[in-house]
Amino acid sequence: MRRLILRLTTLCAALAVAGATYAQIATNAVGRSPWSVTDEIGTLNMMTDQSRLDVLRQISSGKVYDLSVDLFVGMPTCCADAFGDPAYQIWKTHEPTRKEGGALVSHSSDTILMNTHTGTHIDSLNHFGLHGKIWNEVSASEALGDRGWTKSGADKIPPIVARGVLVDVAAFKGVQHLPASYAITPADLEGALARQGSELRPGDVVLIRTGLMTVWPDKSQYQFFNQSGLSLAAAQWLVEVQQVMLLGADNFGLESFPSTDAENFAPVHTYLLAEKGVPFMEVMWLEDLAKDQVYEFLFIGAPLKLRGATGSPMRPLAIPIAAKSRS
Amino acid sequence: MRRLILRLTTLCAALAVAGATYAQIATNAVGRSPWSVTDEIGTLNMMTDQSRLDVLRQISSGKVYDLSVDLFVGMPTCCADAFGDPAYQIWKTHEPTRKEGGALVSHSSDTILMNTHTGTHIDSLNHFGLHGKIWNEVSASEALGDRGWTKSGADKIPPIVARGVLVDVAAFKGVQHLPASYAITPADLEGALARQGSELRPGDVVLIRTGLMTVWPDKSQYQFFNQSGLSLAAAQWLVEVQQVMLLGADNFGLESFPSTDAENFAPVHTYLLAEKGVPFMEVMWLEDLAKDQVYEFLFIGAPLKLRGATGSPMRPLAIPIAAKSRS
Amino acid sequence: MRRLILRLTTLCAALAVAGATYAQIATNAVGRSPWSVTDEIGTLNMMTDQSRLDVLRQISSGKVYDLSVDLFVGMPTCCADAFGDPAYQIWKTHEPTRKEGGALVSHSSDTILMNTHTGTHIDSLNHFGLHGKIWNEVSASEALGDRGWTKSGADKIPPIVARGVLVDVAAFKGVQHLPASYAITPADLEGALARQGSELRPGDVVLIRTGLMTVWPDKSQYQFFNQSGLSLAAAQWLVEVQQVMLLGADNFGLESFPSTDAENFAPVHTYLLAEKGVPFMEVMWLEDLAKDQVYEFLFIGAPLKLRGATGSPMRPLAIPIAAKSRS
Amino acid sequence: MRRLILRLTTLCAALAVAGATYAQIATNAVGRSPWSVTDEIGTLNMMTDQSRLDVLRQISSGKVYDLSVDLFVGMPTCCADAFGDPAYQIWKTHEPTRKEGGALVSHSSDTILMNTHTGTHIDSLNHFGLHGKIWNEVSASEALGDRGWTKSGADKIPPIVARGVLVDVAAFKGVQHLPASYAITPADLEGALARQGSELRPGDVVLIRTGLMTVWPDKSQYQFFNQSGLSLAAAQWLVEVQQVMLLGADNFGLESFPSTDAENFAPVHTYLLAEKGVPFMEVMWLEDLAKDQVYEFLFIGAPLKLRGATGSPMRPLAIPIAAKSRS
């Protein structure tokens, strides 16, 4: 009964969203945080000690799912090809001498160079703004310095411990991966959730599976410009109706590309980060969860605290929670 | 009674270690893994689904402790000063145009460059070897390539979910931080554990607090060359008597520097990584755990999967476990 | 008369080369320097104060030709695409505050990252070797360290001041640029020189124009894998018959790619650098010289003294010398 | 007689400068180019084909002086220590396999990372501005992009071929190097020129020797913060009285540090670059010229064409010109 009511509520809200869409998008203004005038983390404020303990107590397995990909020279990167950002590099700074055996201690070390949006990573709220401002009405003139923003960087993102839900849209559609540039609708999400028997709850971490990791790391197939992903309507439904806390997906950019909005090449990015304060993760490895049909889990992850950064690599984990906990 | 027996066992084993020390160190040869001829992770093989579930079920709080430091330009780094490795850098690759307001979308992005041993991080088993070989008798000639080792890199390190214990040596000694170059003894560890009422168990993640983070990030005080840390005997006691799985500390190099072994500038590194297959973490933030006297906890952490890397930044977390679980 | 004799001599020598080719290449061994057991610069030893003064005294114009290209984000690079080397990057490390006018001093600074073979550059003798040795029988085990070779690096290359000759092969062939993978023959070089009325002299800097800079910087056309360039026979003719000191070209790799030698992907590189000790320049801008038909000139150039490096960016210059000096 | 008149003229002009100093500096506004509204190179506009040919014709020797230092890991850098810029790095991206002998071709390559003000280099006019504008009244809002300025970058600097004069102030003072923070006066310059018997001419490249290279590369002695260098008055005398085209010195920052102007930490930088459009070179190797007492020479040098960069490494050269040309 409770689920039926929830579903009806959802439907009504979705209709409301559909009708309200134009006006909301047309504002194109950054949001002011309902949490605090100094807020830098948006919806991550939804977490509390109690919310964390609730999900931690539901853990039903000692199996840990790794939701990240390897980082290696030559790996696909959205931003090297699309935007001129550096591709991932690692190099040696120390190595055992060639005269092996001649020295007792064999010391090796290395250095990495990477755009902060390489491999599995999270986008900080300062990654996209509107009209020169970011989330919570912070302007570049007050908070953009020589080395980046002083507000809403990856260093402000707290450890994330929350209920997670996989939404396997590819499985719902019965395809290996969604077709090029396909824009996932709210109905797709509802259909996928119904297929799984999963429900979303306020404060969830919701991970969208397009199936594109099945072609990773083939650069000729896993390409930024034409990937399937969320439509703006789907993002709105997740945020405004379902009240998710954090989003994620297995593609480069969460949303469908290219954008159909001539004035905004990443409308879901600006909607989530700048208008609503919702961070999200990209290039996630969701194949193991999908294969084992693990749809609900403890999500645990925390980016590197790169001061001011617009994103950070991370290695999120999932641990199954009990089925009985769902109702 | 059980604890008394354990303590006696520990004492005897410690004495055995003390007597055996010279001969063992003198071998100065890399270890062969007891787990597998292809093993690349050493003692991390001790984890099982059951070991993880055991500790996950003991969680008693939704409070999450962050065990890592911020990464920022100008931060202390062992390896830039001591070894010529690059210091941490972050720079902008995209930022909102100066003509703010003129453009709808304000896109910011950045890139980082860092030695893999910067900030809170883990040392992979290939970081130190002996006579040109690393853990499990892998030689440079077979596994060291243009961009680093192909064996025992950070990408091989699984997510770590285990019982963690803080050993607050600074508190035991009654000092803000241990004196310069102080070498922690097995007796210090036993004393600190007794003060806390903590016990170690096989498979634990053991975090050593020297108190040096109280001077972080003051480069004039937090310096690689003269930091306090583990003695070789203490490391041996932890590994051979207590059978720890993973170590960590709040200093730059886990062990006391400078080394007193003229032929080995990092004898604890070679002992742990190359001889025994024990990885460890450095530059950890243990102040919050110490302040709240949280000595036993779920440890959860996972490095970035940097293919082949000798280490990786990470952001480990601790969640308190029930006191009743201790006995 | 003198020129006729020279031409005949050249012809005979070329025939000799043609016959000797197989045996010479088959040795596939690095050369020992005829100049010194410690030599690290090969044919650059041909320069003397007198050789430099001779050409300096022939200068007939104050017009300076710039033989280099711009370095910029997104520029074509052989080695990022072909070999996984980093592409060129520049980023800001300081910039005037956003609060313009509020501060008196507006300080800007930046940092570059580039493979040493990016843009117009020279290849050091240690760039290619054979069987683990480089020029003058120096082995990796004795001279390859953590950060590169300690022998024959770019830092050893002296300032180059010598007679330079442009060989416009594209003009000789009557094409905008040579066709894909075309391998320039000794006859092409002779034909081009005859068309120009130029002659080569021992110790010359010889610059080969394929015409490929006419498609620069279009990455879809200026591509490493299929560029025209020198054949091995042409390189041999230049070195063994004409006794050139330094070579250069307007393509990525001097020689024609792909190699037709299944066991050697860059046979002209190994021949010149490792067997004969002849450095060379790549990605040169020869369009202005060609347009003005300046075929003989003072060549002046010097790479950055990057210690140990396998190459270095440089900005070589040409200043016309008197026509009367030719005969 | 001519020299006497010149000397008197100089004296009068110097007095005029001295009197005018306060008012001029107090303007603290960027200059507008007398050459063009689109000018980006300032005084380098003084060069012509004729000016270059004049000096080229005076060459009296084939000896070439190298005016640059080596670039190596661990070298002194002003900007890493003082401003958080990256220190010089080089690393291998390819190297011969460990299985030497097993492979025919031994390919080595490397990559560099450096602040553009590392080693011997030139400062572009966009390196320092005033109140958010650079030379020729270009504002950050119109010409500062994601990766730097689009105006007055190193790529705009033409090859420099001009008469050069060494001013050996250390020799004039009879010291190994000038004392810490010593500010060279116009009288010092006149005294040094008189000692040498040299004269300055409009359009000259003037290189100031403090003698600090005698302690290079000892980081404990060659330090940015307290180096001797030009006073503002000396810079004014060189530009406004002597009409130099380009300046250079053997210290980190041309001028004396620390600045005595509380509101401007680099008043000579802002005066030369922003007000007068005079670029200059730093960290120059002048020891060989000084030792051989070569005071007048052909100066030839050209930075890498790093698009937009605030500076660029370069390897300038000097070739002696005939004494008889001095008249």
Side-chain angles (χ1 to χ4, degrees):
Chain A
M1 183 62 174
R2 187 185 150 213
R3 298 189 70 175
L4 179 61
I5 291 171
L6 254 170
R7 192 62 59 86
L8 284 170
T9 312
T10 297
L11 184 62
C12 296
L15 292 170
V17 167
T21 299
Y22 183 80
Q24 288 183 336
I25 301 303
T27 61
N28 272 329
V30 295
R32 176 161 282 290
S33 172
W35 289 279
S36 158
V37 293
T38 59
D39 173 38
E40 305 181 42
I41 61 170
T43 48
L44 296 180
N45 282 292
M46 295 170 88
M47 271 188 296
T48 65
D49 282 2
Q50 191 57 50
S51 77
R52 285 185 285 259
L53 188 56
D54 282 350
V55 65
L56 287 165
R57 283 196 166 142
Q58 297 172 34
I59 290 170
S60 62
S61 161
K63 183 159 184 183
V64 177
Y65 289 83
D66 186 341
L67 308 185
S68 72
V69 298
D70 274 22
L71 294 153
F72 59 96
V73 175
M75 68 184 291
T77 36
C78 102
C79 303
D81 297 327
F83 301 117
D85 291 293
Y88 177 79
Q89 288 286 331
I90 186 169
W91 61 87
K92 299 181 286 189
T93 54
H94 298 282
E95 63 182 319
T97 167
R98 297 262 159 178
K99 302 183 188 78
E100 285 167 17
L104 174 60
V105 178
S106 299
H107 172 216
S108 298
S109 191
D110 26 41
T111 290
I112 55 168
L113 178 148
M114 58 191 292
N115 181 273
T116 53
H117 300 265
T118 304
T120 309
H121 69 278
I122 193 167
D123 284 7
S124 311
L125 296 184
N126 60 17
H127 183 38
F128 272 81
L130 288 161
H131 295 300
K133 286 188 179 175
I134 56 169
W135 170 246
N136 216 3
E137 301 188 355
V138 172
S139 69
S141 58
E142 64 186 294
L144 184 55
D146 282 5
R147 300 301 184 100
W149 290 87
T150 57
K151 297 285 185 185
S152 289
D155 52 314
K156 305 295 173 59
I157 297 176
I160 299 157
V161 176
R163 181 172 181 269
V165 177
L166 172 71
V167 185
D168 192 341
V169 183
F172 167 65
K173 292 284 191 181
V175 294
Q176 181 194 338
H177 62 75
L178 301 178
S181 301
Y182 182 77
I184 297 165
T185 65
D188 291 335
L189 298 177
E190 290 195 287
L193 287 164
R195 190 196 72 88
Q196 298 173 187
S198 311
E199 68 175 26
L200 300 185
R201 296 181 189 166
D204 276 355
V205 175
V206 178
L207 309 181
I208 310 297
R209 182 174 178 269
T210 65
L212 280 164
M213 272 295 156
T214 57
V215 300
W216 177 271
D218 180 344
K219 284 179 174 177
S220 69
Q221 293 191 74
Y222 194 96
Q223 295 188 311
F224 175 71
F225 280 116
N226 69 348
Q227 285 193 334
S228 55
L230 289 183
S231 65
L232 180 54
Q236 286 182 293
W237 181 81
L238 287 163
V239 173
E240 295 176 39
V241 180
Q242 300 298 336
Q243 295 175 263
V244 302
M245 179 177 77
L246 178 67
L247 290 169
D250 58 354
N251 56 6
F252 263 138
L254 185 70
E255 67 187 287
S256 163
F257 281 97
S259 162
T260 55
D261 180 342
E263 294 178 32
N264 190 334
F265 75 95
V268 175
H269 276 64
T270 56
Y271 168 75
L272 290 172
L273 300 172
E275 294 190 34
K276 294 297 176 182
V278 184
F280 48 85
M281 299 168 289
E282 297 164 326
V283 196
M284 301 189 81
W285 181 257
L286 305 176
E287 297 310 291
D288 296 326
L289 287 179
K291 185 182 166 200
D292 290 357
Q293 300 185 33
V294 175
Y295 297 119
E296 293 164 47
F297 41 83
L298 164 70
F299 175 92
I300 189 159
L304 302 181
K305 291 189 287 188
L306 309 172
R307 205 173 273 177
T310 62
S312 170
M314 64 188 288
R315 189 173 175 188
L317 306 174
I319 303 177
I321 56 177
K324 66 175 168 2
S325 71
R326 287 179 189 165
S327 66
Chain B
M1 184 61 175
R2 186 182 151 216
R3 297 189 70 174
L4 179 62
I5 291 171
L6 253 170
R7 194 60 60 83
L8 285 169
T9 312
T10 297
L11 184 62
C12 297
L15 290 170
V17 167
T21 300
Y22 183 80
Q24 289 184 336
I25 302 303
T27 60
N28 271 330
V30 296
R32 176 161 282 290
S33 171
W35 289 279
S36 158
V37 293
T38 59
D39 173 39
E40 305 180 43
I41 62 171
T43 47
L44 297 180
N45 281 291
M46 295 170 87
M47 271 188 296
T48 64
D49 282 2
Q50 191 58 48
S51 76
R52 283 185 285 258
L53 188 55
D54 283 350
V55 66
L56 287 165
R57 283 195 166 142
Q58 297 172 36
I59 289 170
S60 62
S61 160
K63 184 159 184 184
V64 177
Y65 288 84
D66 186 342
L67 308 183
S68 71
V69 298
D70 274 23
L71 294 153
F72 58 97
V73 175
M75 67 184 291
T77 37
C78 102
C79 303
D81 297 326
F83 301 117
D85 291 293
Y88 177 79
Q89 289 285 331
I90 186 169
W91 62 87
K92 298 180 286 187
T93 54
H94 299 282
E95 63 182 320
T97 168
R98 297 263 159 178
K99 302 183 189 76
E100 285 167 19
L104 174 61
V105 178
S106 299
H107 173 216
S108 297
S109 191
D110 26 42
T111 290
I112 55 168
L113 179 147
M114 59 190 291
N115 182 272
T116 53
H117 301 264
T118 303
T120 309
H121 69 279
I122 193 167
D123 283 6
S124 311
L125 296 184
N126 60 17
H127 183 37
F128 272 82
L130 289 161
H131 295 299
K133 286 187 179 175
I134 56 169
W135 170 248
N136 216 3
E137 300 187 357
V138 172
S139 69
S141 58
E142 64 186 295
L144 184 55
D146 282 5
R147 300 301 184 100
W149 291 87
T150 57
K151 297 285 184 186
S152 289
D155 51 315
K156 304 296 171 58
I157 297 176
I160 298 157
V161 176
R163 183 174 180 267
V165 178
L166 172 71
V167 185
D168 192 341
V169 183
F172 168 64
K173 292 285 190 181
V175 295
Q176 182 194 338
H177 62 76
L178 301 177
S181 301
Y182 182 76
I184 297 164
T185 65
D188 290 336
L189 298 177
E190 290 194 287
L193 287 165
R195 191 195 72 89
Q196 299 172 187
S198 311
E199 68 175 27
L200 300 184
R201 297 181 189 167
D204 276 355
V205 175
V206 178
L207 309 182
I208 310 297
R209 181 173 178 270
T210 65
L212 280 164
M213 272 294 157
T214 58
V215 300
W216 178 271
D218 179 344
K219 284 180 175 178
S220 69
Q221 293 191 75
Y222 194 96
Q223 295 188 311
F224 175 71
F225 280 116
N226 69 347
Q227 285 192 335
S228 56
L230 289 183
S231 65
L232 181 54
Q236 287 182 293
W237 181 81
L238 286 163
V239 173
E240 296 175 39
V241 180
Q242 300 298 337
Q243 296 175 260
V244 302
M245 179 176 77
L246 178 67
L247 290 170
D250 58 354
N251 57 7
F252 263 138
L254 185 70
E255 66 187 289
S256 164
F257 281 98
S259 164
T260 55
D261 181 341
E263 293 178 31
N264 190 333
F265 74 95
V268 175
H269 275 65
T270 56
Y271 168 74
L272 290 172
L273 300 172
E275 295 190 34
K276 294 296 177 182
V278 184
F280 48 85
M281 298 167 290
E282 296 164 326
V283 196
M284 300 189 82
W285 181 257
L286 305 177
E287 297 310 291
D288 297 325
L289 287 178
K291 185 182 167 201
D292 289 358
Q293 301 186 33
V294 174
Y295 297 119
E296 294 163 47
F297 42 83
L298 164 70
F299 175 92
I300 189 159
L304 302 182
K305 291 190 287 187
L306 308 171
R307 206 172 272 177
T310 63
S312 170
M314 64 188 288
R315 189 173 175 188
L317 307 174
I319 303 176
I321 56 177
K324 66 177 167 3
S325 72
R326 287 180 190 163
S327 65
Chain C
M1 185 60 175
R2 184 181 151 219
R3 297 189 70 176
L4 178 61
I5 292 172
L6 253 170
R7 193 61 58 84
L8 284 170
T9 312
T10 297
L11 183 62
C12 297
L15 291 170
V17 168
T21 299
Y22 183 81
Q24 289 183 336
I25 301 305
T27 62
N28 271 329
V30 296
R32 176 161 282 290
S33 171
W35 289 279
S36 158
V37 292
T38 59
D39 173 38
E40 304 179 43
I41 60 171
T43 47
L44 297 180
N45 282 292
M46 294 169 87
M47 271 189 295
T48 64
D49 282 2
Q50 191 57 49
S51 76
R52 285 184 285 260
L53 189 55
D54 283 350
V55 65
L56 287 164
R57 283 195 165 142
Q58 297 171 36
I59 289 169
S60 62
S61 161
K63 184 161 184 183
V64 177
Y65 288 84
D66 186 341
L67 308 184
S68 71
V69 297
D70 273 22
L71 294 152
F72 58 98
V73 175
M75 68 184 290
T77 36
C78 103
C79 302
D81 297 326
F83 301 117
D85 291 293
Y88 177 79
Q89 288 285 332
I90 185 168
W91 62 87
K92 298 180 287 188
T93 55
H94 298 283
E95 63 182 317
T97 167
R98 295 262 160 178
K99 303 182 188 78
E100 285 166 20
L104 174 60
V105 178
S106 300
H107 172 214
S108 298
S109 190
D110 27 41
T111 291
I112 55 167
L113 178 148
M114 59 191 291
N115 181 273
T116 53
H117 300 265
T118 303
T120 308
H121 69 279
I122 193 167
D123 284 6
S124 311
L125 296 184
N126 60 17
H127 182 38
F128 272 82
L130 289 160
H131 296 299
K133 286 188 179 175
I134 56 170
W135 170 247
N136 216 4
E137 300 187 356
V138 172
S139 69
S141 59
E142 65 186 294
L144 184 56
D146 282 6
R147 300 301 184 99
W149 290 88
T150 57
K151 296 286 184 185
S152 289
D155 51 314
K156 304 295 172 59
I157 297 176
I160 299 157
V161 176
R163 181 173 181 267
V165 177
L166 172 71
V167 185
D168 192 341
V169 182
F172 168 65
K173 292 285 191 180
V175 294
Q176 181 193 339
H177 62 77
L178 301 178
S181 301
Y182 182 77
I184 296 165
T185 65
D188 290 335
L189 298 177
E190 290 195 288
L193 287 164
R195 191 196 71 89
Q196 299 172 187
S198 311
E199 69 176 24
L200 300 185
R201 296 180 189 167
D204 276 355
V205 175
V206 178
L207 309 181
I208 310 297
R209 182 173 177 271
T210 64
L212 280 164
M213 273 294 157
T214 56
V215 299
W216 177 272
D218 179 345
K219 285 179 173 179
S220 70
Q221 293 190 76
Y222 194 95
Q223 295 187 311
F224 175 71
F225 280 117
N226 70 348
Q227 285 192 336
S228 55
L230 288 184
S231 65
L232 181 53
Q236 287 181 293
W237 181 81
L238 287 163
V239 173
E240 296 176 39
V241 180
Q242 299 299 338
Q243 296 175 263
V244 302
M245 180 177 76
L246 177 68
L247 290 170
D250 58 353
N251 56 6
F252 263 137
L254 187 69
E255 66 187 289
S256 164
F257 281 97
S259 164
T260 55
D261 181 341
E263 293 178 31
N264 190 331
F265 74 94
V268 175
H269 275 64
T270 56
Y271 168 75
L272 290 172
L273 300 172
E275 295 189 36
K276 295 296 176 182
V278 185
F280 48 86
M281 299 167 290
E282 296 163 326
V283 195
M284 301 189 81
W285 182 257
L286 305 177
E287 296 311 291
D288 295 327
L289 287 179
K291 184 182 166 201
D292 289 358
Q293 301 185 33
V294 174
Y295 298 119
E296 293 163 48
F297 42 83
L298 165 71
F299 175 92
I300 189 158
L304 302 181
K305 290 189 288 187
L306 308 172
R307 207 172 272 177
T310 63
S312 170
M314 63 188 288
R315 189 173 175 187
L317 307 174
I319 302 176
I321 55 177
K324 65 177 166 9
S325 72
R326 287 181 190 163
S327 65
Chain D
M1 183 60 174
R2 186 182 150 216
R3 297 189 71 176
L4 179 60
I5 292 171
L6 253 170
R7 192 62 58 85
L8 285 170
T9 312
T10 297
L11 184 61
C12 297
L15 290 171
V17 168
T21 299
Y22 184 81
Q24 289 183 336
I25 301 303
T27 61
N28 271 331
V30 297
R32 176 160 284 290
S33 171
W35 288 279
S36 158
V37 293
T38 59
D39 173 38
E40 304 180 42
I41 61 171
T43 47
L44 297 180
N45 281 292
M46 295 170 87
M47 272 189 296
T48 63
D49 282 2
Q50 190 58 49
S51 76
R52 285 185 285 260
L53 188 56
D54 282 350
V55 66
L56 287 165
R57 284 196 165 142
Q58 296 171 36
I59 289 170
S60 62
S61 161
K63 184 160 185 182
V64 177
Y65 288 83
D66 186 342
L67 307 184
S68 71
V69 298
D70 273 22
L71 293 153
F72 58 97
V73 176
M75 67 183 290
T77 36
C78 102
C79 303
D81 297 327
F83 301 117
D85 291 294
Y88 178 79
Q89 289 285 332
I90 186 169
W91 62 87
K92 298 180 287 187
T93 54
H94 298 282
E95 62 182 319
T97 168
R98 295 262 160 177
K99 303 183 189 75
E100 284 166 19
L104 174 61
V105 178
S106 300
H107 172 215
S108 297
S109 191
D110 27 41
T111 291
I112 55 168
L113 179 147
M114 59 191 291
N115 182 272
T116 52
H117 301 265
T118 303
T120 309
H121 68 278
I122 193 166
D123 284 7
S124 312
L125 296 184
N126 59 17
H127 182 38
F128 273 82
L130 289 160
H131 295 300
K133 286 187 180 176
I134 57 170
W135 171 247
N136 215 4
E137 299 187 357
V138 172
S139 69
S141 58
E142 64 187 293
L144 184 55
D146 282 4
R147 301 301 184 98
W149 290 88
T150 57
K151 296 285 185 185
S152 289
D155 51 314
K156 304 295 172 58
I157 297 176
I160 299 157
V161 176
R163 182 173 180 267
V165 178
L166 172 72
V167 185
D168 193 341
V169 183
F172 168 64
K173 292 285 190 180
V175 295
Q176 182 194 339
H177 61 78
L178 300 178
S181 301
Y182 182 78
I184 297 165
T185 65
D188 290 335
L189 297 177
E190 290 195 289
L193 287 164
R195 191 196 71 88
Q196 298 172 188
S198 311
E199 67 177 26
L200 300 185
R201 297 181 188 167
D204 275 355
V205 175
V206 178
L207 309 181
I208 311 296
R209 182 174 178 270
T210 65
L212 280 164
M213 272 294 158
T214 58
V215 300
W216 178 272
D218 179 344
K219 284 178 174 179
S220 69
Q221 293 190 76
Y222 195 96
Q223 295 187 309
F224 175 70
F225 280 116
N226 70 349
Q227 284 192 336
S228 55
L230 288 184
S231 65
L232 180 54
Q236 288 182 292
W237 181 81
L238 286 163
V239 174
E240 297 176 37
V241 181
Q242 300 298 338
Q243 296 175 262
V244 302
M245 179 177 76
L246 177 68
L247 290 170
D250 58 354
N251 55 7
F252 263 138
L254 186 70
E255 66 187 288
S256 164
F257 282 98
S259 163
T260 55
D261 181 341
E263 294 177 33
N264 190 331
F265 74 94
V268 175
H269 275 64
T270 55
Y271 168 74
L272 290 172
L273 300 172
E275 294 189 35
K276 294 297 176 182
V278 184
F280 48 86
M281 298 167 289
E282 297 164 326
V283 196
M284 300 189 82
W285 182 257
L286 305 177
E287 296 312 290
D288 296 326
L289 287 179
K291 185 182 167 201
D292 289 358
Q293 301 185 33
V294 174
Y295 299 118
E296 293 164 47
F297 42 84
L298 165 71
F299 175 93
I300 189 159
L304 302 181
K305 290 189 288 187
L306 308 172
R307 208 173 271 179
T310 63
S312 169
M314 63 188 288
R315 190 173 176 188
L317 307 175
I319 303 176
I321 56 178
K324 66 177 170 351
S325 72
R326 289 179 189 162
S327 71

